[in-house]
């Protein structure tokens, strides 16, 4: 039945599995702890059972979801996020697992080592929200890490998982952000080289501490900063996507595009376009990557027998 639903929708079957709800972090700009309450985690046994059923029903990509997904703690055993990742990776079947959104403070060596150990099941992609590259602004945001701690973690991640792709969220124009603070963010972007950046101009949320912070910076200045940052992000995206050129990537085929090509995702969450038959939708195939752009790569299908 689920297989036919895949054929009807002509899209890969995905499952989003909520592992935590709420958040205890109280970042000064965020409303989530007020609207969703304190963090709670679901038992590991029920998460593993749900994913096992999903895989049996044809799901090919699991996304573990939580406001602060990697602060997961099993309420039954006290097991932490790396142990959950390992338990998921040991489920039989051909599938990929991603997770959103981790908090940098909870990204640790054990988590990255598990990702490296089970590369066939755990995607080499980490969404690693920076928010600001200035330690002064990070403190005002109550993000609980400094610029150097963030960069140290990036170094640790890239040492253990050299092929990893990192994406991020960045807020421009947080109250008190000077041009120097902004340039520090740009500097961190250059050092890390994100493949995707979701960037926004800060906007106040009721009830949050940041909403009462004075901010003399004009909107036009913030817009200019955002525009330049987004151009910069496109350059690093192109650089990151170009890493795949000439390589053979295992990709999960998602759907057919209006122009007739297939679109797939790589383990690093890069969109890959190539020519192929509809039957490949929902399967893993190998693609030789020929060229990169700022938003995707283009390749050709590599026949399985010649891999
Ligand atoms: Fe929690 Fe994320 Fe909101 Fe911070 S930004 S309070 S980590 S949900």
């Amino acid at each position: 039945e689920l297989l036919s639903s895949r054929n009807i929708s002509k899209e890969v079957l995905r499952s989003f599995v909520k592992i935590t709800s709420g958040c205890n972090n109280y970042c000064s700009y965020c409303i989530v702890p007020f609207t969703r309450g304190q963090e709670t985690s679901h038992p590991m046994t029920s998460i593993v059972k749900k994913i096992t059923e999903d895989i049996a029903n044809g799901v090919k990509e699991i996304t573990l979801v939580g406001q602060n997904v990697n602060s997961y703690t099993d309420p039954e055993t006290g097991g932490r996020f790396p142990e959950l990742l390992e338990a998921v990776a040991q489920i039989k079947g051909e599938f990929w697992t991603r997770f959103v959104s981790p908090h940098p403070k909870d990204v640790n060596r054990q988590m990255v080592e598990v990702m490296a150990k089970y590369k066939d099941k755990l995607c080499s992609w980490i969404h690693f929200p920076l928010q600001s590259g200035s330690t002064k602004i990070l403190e005002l945001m109550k993000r609980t890490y400094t610029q150097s701690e963030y960069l140290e973690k990036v170094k640790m991640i890239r040492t253990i998982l050299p092929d990893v792709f990192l994406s991020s969220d960045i807020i421009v124009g947080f109250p008190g952000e000077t041009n120097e603070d902004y340039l520090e963010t740009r500097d961190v972007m250059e050092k890390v080289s994100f493949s995707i950046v979701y960037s926004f101009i800060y906007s106040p949320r009721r009830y949050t501490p940041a909403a009462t912070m004075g901010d003399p910076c004009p909107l036009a200045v913030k817009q200019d900063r955002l525009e330049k940052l987004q151009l910069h992000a496109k350059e690093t995206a192109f650089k990151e996507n170009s890493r795949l050129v000439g390589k053979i990537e295992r990709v999960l085929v998602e759907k057919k595009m209006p122009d007739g090509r297939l679109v797939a995702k790589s383990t690093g969450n890069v969109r890959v376009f190539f020519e192929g038959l509809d039957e490949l939708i929902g399967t893993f195939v190998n693609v030789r990557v020929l060229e990169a752009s700022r938003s995707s790569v283009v390749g050709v299908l590599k026949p399985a027998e010649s891999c």
Side-chain angles (χ1 to χ4, degrees), residues 3-159:
L3 188 66
S4 68
S5 90
R6 182 191 73 180
N7 289 338
I8 290 162
S9 70
K10 294 260 190 268
E11 289 196 19
V12 64
L13 279 182
R14 287 206 172 84
S15 172
F16 293 84
V17 180
K18 200 175 197 183
I19 65 163
T20 69
S21 307
C23 183
N24 299 343
N25 287 327
Y26 292 97
C27 300
S28 65
Y29 53 84
C30 180
I31 195 76
V32 165
F34 303 100
T35 54
R36 306 277 173 89
Q38 293 285 293
E39 183 181 285
T40 54
S41 299
H42 294 286
M44 201 180 295
T45 45
S46 59
I47 295 169
V48 169
K49 183 168 175 278
K50 158 92 172 84
I51 295 173
T52 305
E53 285 164 8
D54 286 346
I55 304 303
N57 285 328
V59 168
K60 294 292 177 193
E61 188 175 281
I62 302 288
T63 304
L64 306 175
V65 180
Q67 258 86 37
N68 182 178
V69 73
N70 57 336
S71 74
Y72 175 84
T73 307
D74 185 357
E76 289 171 347
T77 65
R80 301 303 309 269
F81 188 65
E83 288 155 58
L84 173 66
L85 277 185
E86 183 143 30
V88 172
Q90 286 173 349
I91 296 171
K92 298 240 177 317
E94 192 182 30
F95 66 96
W96 272 352
T97 309
R98 303 184 188 274
F99 52 88
V100 288
S101 279
H103 191 296
K105 77 175 166 57
D106 296 309
V107 167
N108 57 29
R109 175 172 286 276
Q110 195 192 350
M111 179 192 110
V112 185
E113 282 173 350
V114 172
M115 291 174 73
K117 185 173 169 190
Y118 297 97
K119 275 173 119 176
D120 58 328
K121 300 273 180 70
L122 306 176
C123 289
S124 293
W125 167 64
I126 301 177
H127 185 65
F128 201 51
L130 171 65
Q131 308 303 3
S132 170
S134 153
T135 296
K136 181 194 94 186
I137 297 296
L138 288 169
E139 246 171 60
L140 289 172
M141 289 176 163
K142 298 208 180 321
R143 289 293 289 173
T144 69
Y145 52 87
T146 63
Q147 180 201 96
S148 62
E149 285 164 351
Y150 183 93
L151 287 172
E152 270 305 308
K153 291 211 174 177
V154 170
K155 200 168 145 196
M156 177 272 288
I157 294 167
R158 290 212 189 271
T159 305

